Amino acid sequence: MTAAVVALSGGIGGAKLALGLARVLDQGQLTVIVNTGDDFSHLGLAISPDLDTLVYTLAGLAHPEQGWGRRDETWTFMSALEQLGGETWFRLGDADLAMHVERTRRLAAGETLSELTDRLRRKLGIATRILPMSDDPVRTRLETDTGWLDFQDYFVRLRCAPRVRQLAYLGADTARPHPEVLTALGSRDLRAVVICPSNPFLSIEPILAIPAIRAVLAECRAPVIAVSPVIGGQAVRGPTAKIMRELELEPGAEAVTRRYADLLDVFVVDETDAATIMPAGIEVVSAPILMTSLEDRERLARVVLAAADRVAARQN
Ligand code: FO1
């Protein structure tokens, strides 16, 4: 088995780089550990947005601009629900709805989130292994000036407007990492661990908040390389920079990684942030990190893997 690569991902930016990695690596060489802190129950359905964003992206089904949900979507269900006075702030397209209904059915039938995710990704012809960080519930919540909010209430219903005071990842301290997560991160033929350019507070931290995952990463033999989710202090998408300001962190690339710099061997920043200063022992690599085309995703994946290989060559 040629050397494996493990990526940590959540949300839109992470899925983009995961696609780039899947395309430059051999089939089945990539395992992605996915944030489940955004998951919630809505309209009686079990919804796992970061798992779905990755599955749709790797299956070529993702909406090209929106970043979540499916391409070529229709909205008959939503308009019928509107007519009935149902909750429509969280938009569920007709084809996307099938994923939530099928996941809810499988969970009710006793399948774990990881089992059903594995079956569904195979059904969609995805060779990359997709692992929820845990089959136990972890929920990202935010304390704001309007009180504590569940993640999707903050992110979608309130459009990230409330001022964030602190974040909590409920259940992370007792959640058991999926066993394959520990196996993948501990395996001897691991080539690299890639922390994808997802929102550090909302997508990466929840994964690292599971003690056993952070611990196994800290011991990891393979190079650990993160890609900055901000360019010139601005998040490519989403509320990263706003949350950083509200948490009184300067929204620079280095501040992003303060929370997990101790795990890193390499930090990849955009060329505009080439002057980024990182703690000793962390190599800063500057490259174009904005991914708009498929080629961008593949090129960044190659930059990441080459940097990891250089570290491994030095260490061995
Ligand atoms: N994000 C929105 O901003 N508005 C929506 O109506 C919305 C619906 C939605 C449905 C399914 C799904 O998997 C994701 C959805 N998202 C929506 C995105 C979601 O809130 C985020 O992708 C993650 O939770 C954060 O990355």
Side-chain angles (χ1 to χ4, degrees), residues 11-12 38 47-50 52-53 68-69 89-92 96 100 151-152 155-156:
I12 298 151
D38 298 357
I47 296 181
S48 296
D50 284 354
D52 291 353
T53 294
W68 52 268
W89 58 269
F90 194 78
R91 306 199 46 67
L92 295 171
D96 185 34
H100 309 302
F151 177 78
Q152 297 298 345
F155 190 79
V156 180

Side-chain angles (χ1 to χ4, degrees), residues 6-203:
V6 174
L8 272 58
S9 176
I12 298 151
K16 285 184 177 177
L17 181 56
L19 179 60
L21 288 165
R23 290 176 63 89
V24 303
L25 291 166
D26 296 341
Q27 290 257 329
Q29 227 184 341
L30 177 66
T31 295
V32 186
I33 298 170
V34 183
N35 168 46
T36 57
D38 298 357
D39 292 11
F40 74 135
S41 174
H42 184 61
L43 307 179
L45 297 169
I47 296 181
S48 296
D50 284 354
L51 282 169
D52 291 353
T53 294
L54 181 68
V55 165
Y56 291 149
T57 299
L58 294 181
L61 293 171
H63 187 289
E65 284 82 42
Q66 201 169 255
W68 52 268
R70 290 180 61 144
R71 62 170 62 249
D72 313 323
E73 190 54 280
T74 55
W75 301 93
T76 306
F77 168 71
M78 273 284 116
S79 49
L81 189 63
E82 179 92 50
Q83 208 175 26
L84 298 173
E87 276 191 83
T88 55
W89 58 269
F90 194 78
R91 306 199 46 67
L92 295 171
D94 298 332
D96 185 34
L97 187 58
M99 178 68 87
H100 309 302
V101 168
E102 181 57 4
R103 173 171 32 243
T104 304
R105 180 192 69 75
R106 285 172 176 269
L107 286 169
E111 285 185 39
T112 61
L113 183 60
S114 48
E115 282 164 357
L116 69 92
T117 300
D118 194 58
R119 289 194 174 97
L120 294 174
R121 66 99 179 168
R122 290 174 191 277
K123 196 88 181 129
L124 292 172
I126 297 170
T128 298
R129 211 165 35 148
I130 300 175
L131 293 177
M133 63 195 196
S134 171
D135 281 330
D136 298 327
V138 177
R139 294 292 174 264
T140 299
R141 303 197 77 224
L142 302 96
E143 184 186 26
T144 72
D145 49 1
T146 61
W148 280 96
L149 294 169
D150 287 342
F151 177 78
Q152 297 298 345
D153 272 337
Y154 165 77
F155 190 79
V156 180
R157 194 167 58 79
L158 299 171
R159 303 194 181 294
C160 308
R163 284 183 57 78
V164 175
R165 295 225 177 84
Q166 64 172 315
L167 294 111
Y169 310 111
L170 255 57
D173 47 349
T174 54
R176 290 157 297 168
H178 187 282
E180 282 184 52
V181 163
L182 299 181
T183 315
L185 289 172
S187 88
R188 295 201 51 72
D189 72 351
L190 185 56
R191 176 179 174 188
V193 177
V194 181
I195 298 182
C196 291
S198 304
N199 181 308
F201 310 102
L202 303 179
S203 299

